[in-house]
Amino acid sequence: MIRALLSSTALATALLAAPALADDQKAPEADVAGAVGANGVAELVVTATRTVQPIEKVGAAVTVLTQPAIEASQAISVTELLAQTPSVTFARNGGVGTATSLYIRGAESHHTVVLIDGVKLNDPSSIQGGFNSGNLLVGDISRIEVLRGAQSTLWGSQAIGGVVNIVTAEPTTPFTSSLSAEAGARKTGYLRGAVGGASDKVTWRVAGGYYTTDGFSSYKLGKEKDGYQNTGLSGRLRVKLTDAVSVETRAVYSRGKNDFDGFNTDSPEFGRTKELVVYQGLNAALLDGRWNNRVGFAYTDTDRQNYNPARAAVPMTFDAAGKNKRWEYQGVFAITETWTATFGAESERSRMRTRSPSVANPNVAFRTGKISADSLYGQLQAEIAPGLTVTGGLRYEDHDAYGAHTLGQVGAAWALNDNATVLRAGYSQGFRAPGLYELFSEYGNAALSPEEFDSWEAGVEQRFLDGKVRASATVFHREADNEIRFFSCSFGATDTMCAPGGIFRFGYYRNLQKTKAQGLELIAEARPTERLTFTGNYTYTEAELAAGANAGKQLSRRPKDLANLSATYRWPVGLSTTVAVRYVGKTYNNETNTVPVSDYATVDLRASYPISETLEVYGRVENALDKDYQTILNYGTPGRGAFLGLRARF
C-alpha cells in the first residue's frame, strides 16, 4: 500500500510540473458519495469518472435516479427500482428478502459492483462473490447512478456488467427531519425516519427504518406464507477542520430475517442476515483546491445463517461470514481548465468462512479463505476540441494468487448543437479473479483461472423541441473468456474433482466457457405539456454461450426483450398519477434452453397528493392486473397488492 501511495504521489508531482497550468482552476470532489454525490442533479454524474462531471462529457451510458424520482416510484426494494432502468433485470427466489440476482446487459450478477456511500457491497462469502440485493431496501437513499458496461479501470475486477452507486441522503439546511409510514397487502408495513442538519463546520444525519410483511409462498404451488422482516440504520458525519481539510464517517447497517421454501416444496426454513458497511475518510484540498485528495478506509461485514426448525437435532443448515477491508487513496488534479487527472491506489483484504452442518456432522469445520489485491489506477480526461471530451485510463492490479494484470479503458463524448446532440463511444477491458467461495468453499476449485473480458459501446442522444423530447440509442458488445460456472457431478462420475480425497460432492466451480452479449438500448422521454410526462426504455440483448455444446444458447434467466413505459400526469389540484408497465421477455431456466419461463407484463398504478408543504399522502396498486408470472421457474411472485402511505418533512 505504501508503494502504491508513493506511486500516486509521484504521478501528482509530475502533473504539477506540467506546462500551461492555470492558477484559478479547481479540481472536482474526490468522493462519489460526498456532498455532490448525495445531492447532485440528474445532469451531473460522479460514478463514470469517480468525479463530478456534466453528463454530456461522459462517454459511458448512465442513468441517474434522484431523490424526487425515487420517492415518485414508491419502490420499497432497490431491486424493483433498478429494474425500471434500461438493461437491468433480476431473478428472485420468492419475495423481498430472498436471494436475488441482478443482471445488467446480460452479465452475471457477480459481474456488477454495487456501492453504498462509496463502499463496495460484494460479499466474499456469497456464491461467486456477488452481492445479494434481496435485503437492500430504499431506506434513506437519496440518489442512485446506474453505470452500464465494463468499468474495471476505476472500479476493479468485478465491474464487468456495470456499477450501481447508491448514496444516502445528506442534509443541506441547519435542521431537517422526515418520517414516512405505509401499510398494505399481505400485512405489509414500512416505517422510516431521519433527522440531520448542516452548518459551516458539521454535517450530520441519522436514519432508520423497519419493514415487515407476511409475504407469500416462495414455492409457487405452496400454501405456507414466507414473510420477511428488516431493520435498517444509516448515518453520516462530516466535520470541517479547516477550509481545506475535513474528516468523514459513514455507516449502513441491516438486519433481516426471511422465510423461504425448499426445492419444489413448502418448508419452515428461514435465514438471518446481518450486514455492516463502514467508511472513514480524510479529505484534503491542496494548491487552493486544484489538487483534491481523499484517504479512506472501507469495511464490510456480512453474516448469514439458515435454519430448518423441522430438523430439531441440528436446526442450522448453513453458516457463513464474509469480511472485506479496503484502504484507498484518490487524487484529482485540475491540470488546466479542460484537462483533469484522476489517480489512486487501493489495497484490499478479503476473507470468508462457510460451512453446512448436517445431522451426520453437526460440528463440521468451517471452510475458510483469504485473499489480497493491491491496485493503482490513473485516468486523464480532456476536452480536446469544443464539446469533444476524451477519457483514457489504466489500472494495474497485483493479486496475491493470480499475479499482476493491467487493464485499459478509453471513451469519448462529443456534445454538439448546444448539447442538444451527444455522441458517445467507449472501449474497456475487464479481469476478474475467482472469488473466495469459488476457490475455498465445499464446491471450490483452487485451479481456477481468471475471467477476461473485452467490451465496447457506441450511442447517440438527441433533444428535440427545446428539450421537451429526449431520445437515445446505444449499441453494446461484450466478449468473455474463461467464465466460471458451477459444474454438476453425478454419482459414479470419473472426474476426480467430483470426489476430492475420495469424498463425493455434488459439483464444483470450473472455467467452462466463453460467452458474448450484444444488444441495443433505446430510451425516450417526452413532456408534451407541463403536466404530462412519458418515459420509456427498451433493451434487446443477445446474451449467449459462445463455445461448447451449448454455443448459441441463451444464458439462463436473461431475457432478450426488456421494456418499461410510464405516463405521469400532474393535476391542477396537485394530485400526481402514474401508470407504469414493465415487460420481460421469455427466459430459460437452464443453459440448454430446454426449460422455458414465459414472458410477462405487469401494470402498476401510483398516486400522490400534497396535503400541505410538509405532508404528502401516497398510494399504489402493484401488479394491478394480477398477472401470474415467474422470474425463476417454480418460485412465487406477488399478485395484486394495494398500499397506502403518509410522508412528512419538518
Side-chain angles (χ1 to χ4, degrees):
M1 181 62 182
I2 293 175
R3 182 176 61 183
L5 286 173
L6 290 175
S7 299
S8 295
T9 304
L11 174 61
T13 303
L15 292 171
L16 286 174
L21 299 180
D23 294 335
D24 59 349
Q25 297 309 307
K26 302 293 183 183
E29 184 179 39
D31 188 357
V32 297
V36 177
N39 298 304
V41 296
E43 289 73 22
L44 297 176
V45 297
V46 297
T47 314
T49 61
R50 293 187 77 145
T51 61
V52 60
Q53 295 291 334
I55 198 167
E56 66 270 13
K57 293 182 178 292
V58 174
V62 58
T63 296
V64 180
L65 299 173
T66 60
Q67 188 167 17
I70 294 171
E71 291 183 352
S73 75
Q74 298 185 30
I76 296 298
S77 167
V78 171
T79 299
E80 275 83 5
L81 187 60
L82 294 175
Q84 299 172 20
T85 64
S87 282
V88 179
T89 187
F90 69 93
R92 188 161 61 193
N93 295 0
V96 177
T98 56
T100 304
S101 296
L102 196 69
Y103 308 112
I104 299 180
R105 287 184 174 176
E108 297 296 328
S109 182
H110 56 277
H111 289 160
T112 294
V113 167
V114 180
L115 310 166
I116 188 162
D117 284 344
V119 181
K120 289 185 180 181
L121 293 181
N122 302 66
D123 175 15
S125 71
S126 68
I127 296 176
Q128 297 194 270
F131 173 67
N132 173 18
S133 60
N135 283 297
L136 188 56
L137 305 185
V138 170
D140 198 40
I141 293 169
S142 67
R143 182 182 174 93
I144 299 177
E145 291 186 9
V146 184
L147 181 62
R148 299 183 291 278
Q151 309 293 332
S152 291
T153 300
L154 292 181
W155 293 109
S157 63
Q158 286 183 304
I160 307 301
V163 179
V164 178
N165 181 26
I166 300 168
V167 185
T168 58
E170 177 173 300
T172 57
T173 58
F175 181 80
T176 180
S177 62
S178 62
L179 183 67
S180 67
E182 70 172 69
R186 297 175 284 276
K187 296 184 179 180
T188 298
Y190 195 17
L191 178 66
R192 288 176 284 176
V195 61
S199 66
D200 291 340
K201 296 292 185 182
V202 178
T203 301
W204 65 279
R205 185 175 176 92
V206 177
Y210 177 73
Y211 175 83
T212 181
T213 182
D214 280 358
F216 51 88
S217 178
S218 293
Y219 171 47
K220 183 173 177 56
L221 302 180
K223 304 299 181 183
E224 169 216 31
K225 295 180 179 179
D226 293 307
Y228 177 61
Q229 294 79 41
N230 180 284
T231 299
L233 298 170
S234 64
R236 59 166 59 212
L237 171 66
R238 183 168 62 249
V239 179
K240 192 174 181 180
L241 303 179
T242 70
D243 288 342
V245 179
S246 65
V247 292
E248 186 159 7
T249 296
R250 302 188 287 257
V252 177
Y253 172 78
S254 173
R255 183 181 66 194
K257 174 183 178 293
N258 70 287
D259 301 332
F260 61 91
D261 287 329
F263 181 70
N264 286 345
T265 183
D266 270 337
S267 171
E269 293 177 79
F270 65 91
R272 297 186 184 275
T273 301
K274 295 180 182 179
E275 295 170 311
L276 175 64
V277 178
V278 177
Y279 171 83
Q280 294 179 315
L282 171 68
N283 308 301
L286 304 177
L287 304 178
D288 294 325
R290 285 183 52 208
W291 181 10
N292 284 336
N293 299 270
R294 178 180 62 84
V295 179
F297 171 72
Y299 174 75
T300 64
D301 187 351
T302 304
D303 289 291
R304 298 176 292 133
Q305 292 85 34
N306 291 345
Y307 299 88
N308 185 356
R311 204 175 75 177
V314 187
M316 179 182 285
T317 60
F318 180 73
D319 186 8
K323 294 178 173 58
N324 185 279
K325 297 179 181 179
R326 178 186 293 267
W327 291 265
E328 303 175 329
Y329 165 75
Q330 181 180 343
V332 184
F333 187 77
I335 304 172
T336 70
E337 183 179 355
T338 57
W339 289 65
T340 301
T342 302
F343 43 90
E346 299 174 345
S347 184
E348 183 175 359
R349 303 292 181 266
S350 301
R351 62 174 59 242
M352 74 99 188
R353 66 178 190 184
T354 179
R355 64 172 181 163
S356 299
S358 64
V359 174
N361 191 1
N363 298 312
V364 60
F366 280 103
R367 296 290 188 100
T368 63
K370 61 181 180 179
I371 214 156
S372 63
D374 298 318
S375 305
L376 291 169
Y377 63 86
Q379 175 185 265
L380 192 62
Q381 184 177 38
E383 187 174 351
I384 60 175
L388 178 58
T389 303
V390 296
T391 304
L394 291 173
R395 185 183 189 90
Y396 173 83
E397 184 165 308
D398 188 3
H399 194 280
D400 69 352
Y402 292 96
H405 294 263
T406 302
L407 306 172
Q409 183 171 348
V410 293
W414 196 0
L416 305 168
N417 305 323
D418 292 329
N419 297 338
T421 304
V422 181
L423 306 177
R424 294 185 171 92
Y427 168 80
S428 58
Q429 298 173 311
F431 156 84
R432 176 185 172 269
L436 290 175
Y437 193 90
E438 295 165 320
L439 291 170
F440 302 115
S441 73
E442 56 193 298
Y443 308 110
N445 178 3
L448 289 171
S449 298
E451 300 174 325
E452 297 178 352
F453 305 84
D454 290 281
S455 68
W456 61 263
E457 64 179 81
V460 58
E461 179 178 338
Q462 181 66 51
R463 298 178 186 269
F464 307 91
L465 302 176
D466 295 326
K468 292 181 179 180
V469 178
R470 177 179 63 89
S472 68
T474 303
V475 294
F476 60 89
H477 181 90
R478 181 182 66 254
E479 295 183 359
D481 195 10
N482 282 336
E483 272 214 58
I484 299 170
R485 288 288 193 277
F486 184 78
F487 178 79
S488 297
C489 296
S490 58
F491 287 104
T494 57
D495 188 340
T496 57
M497 289 295 294
C498 288
I503 301 175
F504 175 78
R505 57 180 178 175
F506 292 102
Y508 64 96
Y509 289 99
R510 59 185 282 189
N511 298 102
L512 280 178
Q513 61 199 20
K514 296 182 178 182
T515 66
K516 67 176 182 179
Q518 56 189 7
L520 170 68
E521 296 168 348
L522 300 176
I523 306 171
E525 180 180 74
R527 301 178 183 270
T529 70
E530 291 184 358
R531 300 188 182 280
L532 181 62
T533 302
F534 295 100
T535 61
N537 59 71
Y538 168 77
T539 306
Y540 176 78
T541 306
E542 292 181 350
E544 301 174 343
L545 297 166
N550 294 321
K553 300 292 186 180
Q554 192 172 331
L555 293 179
S556 61
R557 298 167 189 166
R558 257 53 66 90
K560 284 189 175 182
D561 299 290
L562 184 66
N564 290 279
L565 179 65
S566 70
T568 298
Y569 188 77
R570 289 165 288 278
W571 300 80
V573 294
L575 175 69
S576 176
T577 55
T578 299
V579 178
V581 181
R582 174 171 171 78
Y583 173 77
V584 178
K586 181 178 71 173
T587 61
Y588 292 95
N589 213 53
N590 60 351
E591 292 185 347
T592 57
N593 290 185
T594 57
V595 184
V597 178
S598 298
D599 63 336
Y600 65 90
T602 58
V603 178
D604 295 339
L605 308 176
R606 299 191 288 268
S608 62
Y609 178 75
I611 300 174
S612 67
E613 292 184 358
T614 61
L615 195 62
E616 180 184 50
V617 62
Y618 63 92
R620 66 187 180 279
V621 180
E622 297 176 349
N623 193 6
L625 302 182
D626 203 24
K627 176 67 175 179
D628 184 15
Y629 67 98
Q630 303 170 77
T631 63
I632 301 177
L633 189 68
N634 293 331
Y635 282 92
T637 53
R640 181 189 298 117
F643 304 85
L644 184 65
L646 192 65
R647 183 182 293 125
R649 292 185 177 87
F650 310 99

